[in-house]
């Protein structure tokens, strides 16, 4: 069955929709479905997207294509709507650079079923659903009417009250009333008198994370700003604008035009003038706020709201619950998840960026209260006429009163979303859950009375294909995906491991087995884990669940009941699945799997110790062998070997704890004598981004040494403050650390930081041959590239291929030289399988190219957002193809070793 995945769209949540579309594209069961990527741009045009663009970090990385964006002074990125009014011919030409523009009447020629990952207006409001029904295309999720209700927060309020659900008191503030009232303090006074404090202000027709504010005090300025945020309007003051320097003004415009946090573009001025592009807005504000300009300016997005929903604040614990339906159409509420936020509002960033909030499933409440939440969610699902699945959010107060709000007919579909997190509790992995949604949606569309015979035939055909797949499930190669570990990069390792698991679980060739590794350098503890534990928030949560199971803590009674209720779903889509973690030895691992994929970062995994254990039992594995791994984990040793072989590397030295303990002043003076500030300090033998700091002063050097050389796990407050450690940032305890000189431009014409991937294979003569990919240009927000910027969706930016030069031929000449240098590094270090090499590149006026290598990662991050997938796409590998090649090499290597 051809599945058209429709993603992107005009809404302010289009980037999350884009990432969700990629998740669906990767996780659709390849033995049942063929994925057809259909990108909806921000003007509502549909494009049959060339698949490799799916693996770009953001929409703005590829669309509009860079060669159709006019050159601007500050190079601000923009969406398609910022190009102004475009003709049909221009839209066709732009689409042709990334795929082919298609029209709805052509959908039936391209796909049999539409899987919707669109969010907000146009995607969740019945618009796309109505379009698809007109053209006779079955689609995922709820129909037109429940979708229209699901996006309209004001209509929801009336329906909630009508059906007897508790809902916070609310008022509707209209734009007309707001503009007609000169003294806004009167409106604030009346709202506080009616609803009390705090007040919650919402944009009534957006997704649940956009245009939301909480007002905790009777502050008129904060209230006016919150109303403007919900209306997607802003009033700027000349005095504030002119106080900003040029950089601050530029950053302000960047934030203002950000669709997630600002009001977006195009905007309309009070005079009715339309401003489309960020640079145009910057020039407009600078000109308007000249000496004779007005004191204030109001800008409003062209897709603004005309009402604000103002609610009373619910002081309670926040939860989210996915409701699905069984074969008979009865709703089943999955275990509600408690949301523990870093901030006050569960906004766009805290919802979609890992680490900014924590998910506890099921919510930590007495069983009766959890069951009451589920009962209320099921009743609301039925009352609003939802189909297939929905995400219902709410609060429960200390007194046990349940308030439901913001029902969503489409859930975010990032790998870490509630959607997959809760489905895992009934034993469905992401691939199986997507199959459930497609099949259940087909059955729902049959009930509409349209195209009944055709849809029934499609359903029978899918059922036959599913039965055939179940019959051949045991024919697949079993791959143990080892994730976790005990380094400061263990959480990224889990993200990588889950991604590998998900790519393999949807394949026709492999059956992945999730394996969690914990322990220490002396003892590795391996556990085969169920899918629901694998999808917990992070490595520490997974370890906690394993320890609870080992201690004999029984399964939560609510989880046991839900599994029983959903048994018919689980059996049809997943079959029998592991219920509890199982401790394994390496010998037992050998009998369980045909190969392993090591998704660990830092120690163990990249240091050769795990490889040594696997080789004892001839278990094939990915990545480099023991000796190469032992070298590349040690950055000092790596640089030393590369320098000896003529490769340019940073000047470096090791700083030892014993010297620091013996004489701190002499220790610091020795470093300062050899390295002038600023320089880089980092652990010498750990992962690629763990505790890497730019040291600019003696105070920072003292703080770094105190952190690395401390005796206990707890991080001291003062050095953490001096080094501005971010929330949850970890610093490993080490006996020494590495000092490197700061690589800088040094008179070069162009200077950039890159990260380049590679893949190995065996030539016919048995020798290892290297395929070096186009490197990515890494852009850091801070002083050094962070772990999050490298690997997490929504963080950081990577430009692939790297922008070495504007002229295409010159760019390729430089790229070829860099690739040659990276290949030489791989040969010297005897890299096998695949790797990532980080470097700086200087391009001089005479055309000379210098590649300065920073470090080599023998098991690079394999999260969905990592740029290595952008690089492999250029060479024609989808992520699964790349992973398959890596595993193939590992199995061939083991066969060679055994045969020799």
């Amino acid at each position: 069955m051809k599945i058209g995945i429709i993603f992107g769209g005009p809404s302010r949540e289009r980037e999350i929709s884009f990432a969700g579309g990629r998740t669906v594209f990767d996780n659709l069961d390849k033995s049942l479905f063929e994925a057809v990527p259909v990108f909806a741009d921000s003007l509502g045009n549909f494009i049959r997207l060339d698949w490799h663009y799916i693996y770009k970090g953001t929409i703005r990385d590829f669309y509009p294509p860079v060669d159709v964006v006019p050159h601007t002074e500050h190079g601000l990125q923009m969406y398609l709507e910022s190009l102004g009014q475009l003709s049909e011919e221009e839209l066709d030409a732009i689409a042709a650079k990334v795929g082919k523009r298609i029209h709805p009447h052509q959908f039936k020629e391209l796909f049999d079923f539409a899987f919707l990952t669109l969010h907000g207006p146009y995607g969740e409001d019945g618009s796309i659903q109505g379009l698809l029904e007109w053209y006779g295309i079955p689609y995922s999720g709820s129909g037109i009417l429940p979708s229209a209700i699901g996006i309209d927060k004001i209509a929801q309020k009336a329906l909630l009250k009508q059906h007897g659900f508790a809902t916070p008191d609310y008022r509707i503030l209209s734009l007309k009333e707001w503009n007609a009232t000169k003294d806004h303090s009167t409106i604030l006074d009346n709202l506080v008198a009616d609803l009390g404090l705090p007040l919650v202000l919402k944009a009534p027709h957006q997704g649940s994370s956009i245009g939301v504010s909480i007002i905790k005090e009777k502050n008129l300025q904060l209230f006016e700003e919150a109303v403007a945020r919900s209306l997607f309007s802003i009033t700027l003051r000349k005095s504030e604008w002119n106080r900003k320097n040029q950089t601050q003004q530029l950053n302000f415009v960047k934030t203002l035009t950000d669709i997630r946090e600002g009001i977006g573009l195009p905007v309309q001025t009070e005079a009715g003038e339309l401003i489309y592009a960020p640079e145009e807005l910057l020039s407009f504000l600078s000109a308007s706020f000249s000496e004779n300009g007005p004191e204030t300016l109001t800008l409003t997005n062209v897709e603004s709201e005309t009402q604000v929903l103002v609610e009373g604040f619910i002081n309670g614990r926040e939860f989210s619950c996915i409701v699905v339906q069984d074969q008979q159409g009865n709703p089943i509420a999955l275990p509600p998840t408690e949301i523990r936020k870093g901030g006050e509002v569960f906004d766009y960033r805290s919802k979609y960026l890992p680490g900014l909030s924590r998910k506890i499933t099921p919510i930590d409440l007495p069983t009766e209260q959890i069951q009451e939440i589920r009962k209320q969610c099921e009743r609301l699902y039925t009352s609003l006429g939802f189909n297939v699945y929905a995400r219902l959010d709410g609060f429960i107060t200390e007194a046990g009163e349940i308030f439901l709000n913001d029902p969503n007919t489409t859930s975010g579909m990032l790998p870490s979303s509630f959607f997959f997190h809760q489905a895992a509790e009934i034993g469905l992995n992401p691939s199986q859950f997507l199959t459930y949604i497609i099949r259940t949606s087909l059955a729902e569309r049959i009930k509409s009375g349209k195209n009944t015979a055709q849809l029934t035939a499609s359903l029978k055909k899918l059922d036959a294909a599913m039965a055939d797949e179940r019959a051949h499930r045991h024919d697949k190669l079993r791959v143990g995906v080892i994730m976790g570990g005990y380094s400061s990069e263990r959480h990224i390792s889990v993200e990588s491991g889950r991604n590998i698991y998900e790519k393999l679980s949807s394949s026709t060739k492999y059956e992945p087995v999730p394996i969690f590794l914990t322990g220490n350098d002396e003892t590795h503890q391996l556990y085969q884990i169920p899918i629901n534990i694998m999808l917990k928030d992070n490595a520490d949560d997974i370890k906690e669940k394993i320890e609870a199971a080992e201690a004999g803590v029984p399964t939560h009674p609510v989880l046991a009941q839900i599994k029983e209720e959903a048994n018919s779903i689980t059996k049809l889509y997943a079959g029998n699945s592991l219920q509890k973690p199982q401790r394994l030895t390496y010998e037992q691992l050998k009998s369980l799997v045909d190969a392993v994929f090591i998704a660990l970062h830092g120690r163990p995994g990249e240091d050769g110790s795990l490889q040594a254990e696997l080789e004892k039992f001839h278990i094939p594995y990915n990545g480099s062998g023991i000796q190469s791994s032992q070298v590349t984990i040690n950055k000092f040793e790596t640089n030393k070997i590369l320098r000896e072989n003529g490769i340019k590397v940073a000047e470096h030295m090791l700083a030892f704890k014993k010297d620091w303990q013996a004489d701190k002043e002499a220790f610091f003076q020795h470093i300062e004598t050899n390295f002038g500030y600023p320089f880089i300090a980092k652990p010498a033998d750990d992962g690629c981004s763990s505790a890497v700091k730019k040291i600019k002063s003696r105070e920072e050097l003292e703080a770094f040494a105190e952190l690395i050389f401390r005796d206990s796990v707890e991080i001291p407050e003062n050095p953490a403050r001096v080094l501005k450690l971010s929330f949850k940032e970890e610093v490993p305890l080490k006996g020494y650390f590495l000092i490197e000189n700061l690589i800088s431009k040094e008179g070069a014409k162009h200077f950039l930081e890159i990260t380049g991937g590679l893949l190995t294979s065996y030539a016919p003569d048995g020798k290892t041959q290297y395929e070096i990919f186009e490197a990515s240009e890494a852009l850091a927000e801070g002083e050094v590239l962070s772990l999050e910027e490298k690997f997490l969706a929504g963080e950081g930016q990577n430009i692939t291929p790297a922008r070495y030069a504007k002229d295409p031929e010159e760019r390729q000449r430089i790229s070829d030289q860099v690739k040659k240098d990276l290949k030489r590094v791989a040969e010297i270090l005897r890299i096998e399988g695949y790797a990532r090499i980080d470097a700086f590149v200087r391009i001089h006026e005479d055309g000379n190219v210098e590649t300065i290598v920073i470090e080599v990662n023998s098991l690079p991050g394999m999260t969905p957002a990592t740029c290595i997938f952008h690089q492999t796409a250029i060479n024609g590998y989808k992520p699964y193809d790349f992973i398959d090649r890596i595993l193939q090499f590992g199995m061939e290597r083991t066969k060679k070793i055994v045969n020799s």
Side-chain angles (χ1 to χ4, degrees), residues 55-74:
Y55 298 104
K56 296 294 184 183
T58 68
I59 293 169
R60 287 184 290 182
D61 285 349
F62 73 93
Y63 194 82
V66 67
D67 55 356
V68 305
V69 177
H71 177 70
T72 56
E73 182 185 350
H74 302 100

Side-chain angles (χ1 to χ4, degrees), residues 759-808:
L759 179 67
T760 71
S761 58
Y762 287 116
D765 62 2
K767 289 184 179 177
T768 302
Q769 55 188 9
Y770 294 90
E771 181 177 2
I772 311 295
F773 302 125
E774 284 286 351
S776 301
E777 180 181 347
L779 306 178
E781 283 279 325
E783 295 174 331
V784 295
L785 204 61
S786 71
L787 198 64
E788 291 76 16
E789 285 177 310
K790 282 186 179 177
F791 302 123
L792 296 184
E795 292 287 290
Q797 188 187 351
N798 293 288
I799 308 296
T800 310
R803 300 171 297 184
Y804 297 119
K806 287 181 182 176
D807 177 68

Side-chain angles (χ1 to χ4, degrees), residues 168-242:
D169 287 338
Y170 67 97
R171 298 290 180 271
I172 298 162
L173 175 61
S174 72
L175 177 62
K176 187 177 179 182
E177 178 192 353
W178 183 251
N179 289 339
T181 307
K182 289 187 177 177
D183 184 7
H184 290 154
S185 61
T186 306
I187 296 176
L188 177 58
D189 289 341
N190 291 339
L191 287 170
V192 172
D194 289 349
L195 304 174
L197 284 170
L199 295 171
V200 182
L201 281 72
K202 297 178 177 178
H205 300 99
Q206 302 296 317
S208 57
S209 313
I210 301 287
V212 181
S213 306
I214 293 178
I215 301 298
K216 300 173 87 172
E217 57 186 278
K218 219 173 181 182
N219 182 310
L220 183 60
Q221 183 183 337
L222 292 178
F223 176 64
E224 288 179 331
E225 288 172 357
V227 170
R229 190 174 299 118
S230 293
L231 294 171
F232 301 99
S233 178
I234 189 168
T235 298
L236 307 175
R237 291 171 177 79
K238 182 201 284 189
S239 56
E240 291 178 9
W241 176 261
N242 289 334

Side-chain angles (χ1 to χ4, degrees), residues 138-372:
Y139 55 86
S140 61
S142 283
I144 299 170
L145 180 58
S147 297
I149 294 168
I151 199 67
D152 190 330
K153 295 179 176 66
I154 293 173
Q156 288 167 18
K157 287 290 177 189
L159 286 166
L160 285 166
K161 287 211 166 195
Q162 186 182 322
H163 287 281
F165 289 95
T167 186
D169 287 338
Y170 67 97
R171 298 290 180 271
I172 298 162
L173 175 61
S174 72
L175 177 62
K176 187 177 179 182
E177 178 192 353
W178 183 251
N179 289 339
T181 307
K182 289 187 177 177
D183 184 7
H184 290 154
S185 61
T186 306
I187 296 176
L188 177 58
D189 289 341
N190 291 339
L191 287 170
V192 172
D194 289 349
L195 304 174
L197 284 170
L199 295 171
V200 182
L201 281 72
K202 297 178 177 178
H205 300 99
Q206 302 296 317
S208 57
S209 313
I210 301 287
V212 181
S213 306
I214 293 178
I215 301 298
K216 300 173 87 172
E217 57 186 278
K218 219 173 181 182
N219 182 310
L220 183 60
Q221 183 183 337
L222 292 178
F223 176 64
E224 288 179 331
E225 288 172 357
V227 170
R229 190 174 299 118
S230 293
L231 294 171
F232 301 99
S233 178
I234 189 168
T235 298
L236 307 175
R237 291 171 177 79
K238 182 201 284 189
S239 56
E240 291 178 9
W241 176 261
N242 289 334
R243 271 202 302 269
K244 301 178 190 294
N245 61 35
Q246 191 175 13
T247 302
Q248 290 169 329
Q249 289 176 352
L250 186 63
N251 288 334
F252 178 81
V253 168
K254 277 183 185 176
T255 304
L256 181 65
T257 58
D258 188 318
I259 55 171
R260 301 171 303 175
E261 299 173 45
I263 64 172
L265 289 167
V267 292
Q268 190 168 26
T269 69
E270 293 159 283
E273 183 182 353
L274 287 179
I275 299 172
Y276 289 93
E279 298 273 1
E280 188 185 346
L281 179 58
L282 182 64
S283 301
F284 172 79
L285 292 175
S286 298
S288 299
F289 285 142
S290 60
E291 194 173 329
N292 299 319
E295 291 303 313
T296 62
L297 271 173
T298 298
L299 302 171
T300 306
N301 189 277
V302 294
E303 294 217 341
S304 57
E305 296 274 4
T306 59
Q307 295 171 304
V308 179
L309 177 64
V310 186
E311 293 179 336
F313 181 78
I314 301 299
N315 189 11
R317 290 160 71 176
E318 192 168 358
F319 63 82
S320 190
C321 184
I322 301 289
V323 180
V324 298
Q325 63 187 54
D326 64 17
Q327 260 78 315
Q328 288 71 47
N330 301 313
I332 300 173
L334 298 181
T337 298
E338 181 177 3
I339 303 147
R340 293 186 183 169
K341 314 178 287 287
E344 290 175 331
V345 182
F346 190 48
D347 62 6
Y348 184 96
R349 291 180 64 77
S350 59
K351 184 177 287 187
Y352 296 120
L353 297 183
L356 296 186
S357 62
R358 192 172 177 218
K359 299 190 282 288
I360 311 296
T361 305
I363 185 171
D364 186 15
L365 286 171
T367 299
E368 312 80 64
Q369 287 188 321
I370 299 176
Q371 295 292 37
E372 186 58 31

Side-chain angles (χ1 to χ4, degrees), residues 379-653:
R379 188 165 79 86
L380 181 60
Y381 180 93
T382 304
S383 298
L384 297 184
F386 286 171
N387 318 117
V388 188
Y389 77 95
R391 195 191 85 228
L392 308 180
D393 300 335
F395 295 88
I396 183 165
T397 67
E398 285 259 347
E401 192 172 13
I402 296 165
F403 292 85
L404 297 178
N405 65 340
D406 290 347
N408 289 270
T409 51
T410 300
S411 176
M413 292 188 190
L414 269 68
S416 59
S417 72
F418 299 116
F419 188 67
F420 298 123
H421 187 82
Q422 292 181 17
E425 294 294 351
I426 61 170
L428 298 187
N429 67 32
S431 180
Q432 292 158 350
F433 194 30
L434 295 178
T435 301
Y436 158 83
I437 285 171
I438 293 168
R439 188 191 178 281
T440 309
S441 297
L442 262 179
E444 278 298 314
R445 300 293 88 85
I446 290 171
K447 295 176 187 176
S448 70
K450 303 170 189 170
N451 302 315
T452 310
Q454 183 187 337
L455 293 175
T456 302
S458 294
L459 187 60
K460 283 182 178 175
K461 190 176 176 184
L462 177 56
D463 283 343
M466 287 172 61
D468 185 61
E469 184 195 32
R470 285 194 297 275
H472 294 91
R473 195 168 278 168
H474 300 296
D475 299 344
K476 295 181 177 182
L477 288 169
R478 288 170 67 84
V479 177
V481 183
I482 302 181
M483 64 190 84
Y486 40 81
S487 79
S488 58
E489 296 191 351
R490 62 193 179 280
H491 305 309
I492 294 295
S493 163
V494 166
E495 292 284 328
S496 287
R498 286 197 280 235
N499 188 41
I500 298 297
Y501 173 92
E502 288 164 8
K503 300 294 186 289
L504 296 179
S505 69
S506 62
S507 76
T508 57
K509 183 176 180 180
Y510 299 107
E511 182 185 345
V513 179
I515 308 290
F516 186 78
L517 184 147
T518 184
N520 52 47
D521 285 343
E522 283 71 49
T523 310
H524 296 166
Q525 295 169 19
L526 299 175
Y527 295 89
Q528 182 185 358
I529 55 175
I531 183 72
N532 64 316
I533 290 182
M534 186 192 81
L535 287 179
K536 293 300 173 193
D537 261 8
N538 56 43
D540 294 344
D541 283 354
I542 293 172
K543 186 179 177 184
E544 189 180 294
K545 293 294 179 189
I546 291 171
E547 289 171 347
E550 285 202 314
V553 177
T555 301
H556 196 290
V558 170
L559 295 181
Q561 182 177 332
I562 294 170
K563 282 180 182 175
E564 183 62 33
E565 289 175 24
N567 190 45
S568 63
I569 296 174
T570 308
K571 279 202 164 175
L572 179 61
Y573 296 95
N576 295 320
S577 55
L578 185 71
Q579 299 297 311
K580 291 184 178 179
Q582 302 288 329
R583 181 80 180 264
L584 297 171
T585 62
Y586 281 103
E587 189 171 8
Q588 289 168 328
L589 181 66
K590 166 69 177 173
S591 61
L592 181 67
V593 301
D594 301 296
V596 303
F597 195 106
I598 308 169
L600 301 171
H601 306 310
R603 293 179 182 271
E606 290 192 78
D607 61 357
S609 60
L610 180 56
Q611 289 83 349
E613 295 293 338
L614 295 170
E615 287 196 10
K616 285 178 191 174
F617 297 98
H618 301 301
I619 302 173
Y621 60 85
N622 55 307
S624 290
I626 300 169
Q627 290 178 317
S628 180
S629 298
Q630 287 172 339
V631 171
T632 54
I633 191 67
N634 187 319
K635 298 177 180 71
F636 180 83
E637 193 64 27
T638 299
N639 281 5
K640 183 182 168 190
I641 291 169
L642 292 177
R643 179 184 282 109
E644 287 169 354
N645 283 273
I647 302 292
K648 288 186 171 68
V649 295
E651 294 297 326
H652 65 278
M653 67 173 279

